[in-house]
Amino acid sequence: ATAAAARGTLTLQEQSNAGKALFNGTCSVCHQANGEGLAGVFPPLAKSDYFAADPKRTINTVLHGLSGKVTVNGKEYNSVMPPMNQLNDDEIANILTYVLNSWGNSGGKISANEVKQMRAKPAPAAAAAH
């Protein structure tokens, strides 16, 4: 996927496939392989109103983490997601594109350039992240 992205030929399917592999190795421990999360602990990514409301804000969530109360699909969660800023821009874009196109989410695409732009900005204030 990285080579295809560099050539400008990365398809949505290639990006999602790369994102799935990364998700399964990085995110599924908490959010589960099916995106359902763990009730009362880790919010679901499946059919997520959090993603649907603003898919681009998920870039900040991955880069800077999330702590405190957040409501997803009508249920409140109060946990901690650590920053995943060890992932590079391509990896974050691929994971988020996979999630956006899985488990009943509305679809979409996150580019490595969008991640790069968000990474260059200061982290949002804690209250603004929720």
Side-chain angles (χ1 to χ4, degrees), residues 19-67:
K20 180 179 183 178
L22 290 162
F23 179 91
N24 286 335
T26 306
C27 314
S28 65
V29 172
C30 297
H31 294 288
Q32 306 303 295
N34 63 4
E36 294 292 331
L38 289 174
V41 183
F42 301 114
L45 304 179
K47 299 177 188 167
S48 172
D49 60 359
Y50 184 85
F51 272 94
D54 183 1
K56 305 296 184 206
R57 78 171 160 184
T58 60
I59 298 168
N60 273 326
T61 302
V62 174
L63 284 172
H64 304 294
L66 185 66
S67 63

Side-chain angles (χ1 to χ4, degrees), residues 44-103:
L45 304 179
K47 299 177 188 167
S48 172
D49 60 359
Y50 184 85
F51 272 94
D54 183 1
K56 305 296 184 206
R57 78 171 160 184
T58 60
I59 298 168
N60 273 326
T61 302
V62 174
L63 284 172
H64 304 294
L66 185 66
S67 63
K69 293 180 183 177
V70 63
T71 301
V72 178
N73 297 344
K75 294 182 181 169
E76 190 174 276
Y77 296 84
N78 190 357
S79 192
V80 175
M81 177 179 160
M84 296 286 142
N85 53 15
Q86 78 277 10
L87 298 169
N88 69 37
D89 298 342
D90 283 326
E91 291 169 332
I92 292 172
N94 294 344
I95 289 169
L96 292 176
T97 296
Y98 167 67
V99 172
L100 286 171
N101 290 281
S102 300
W103 315 304

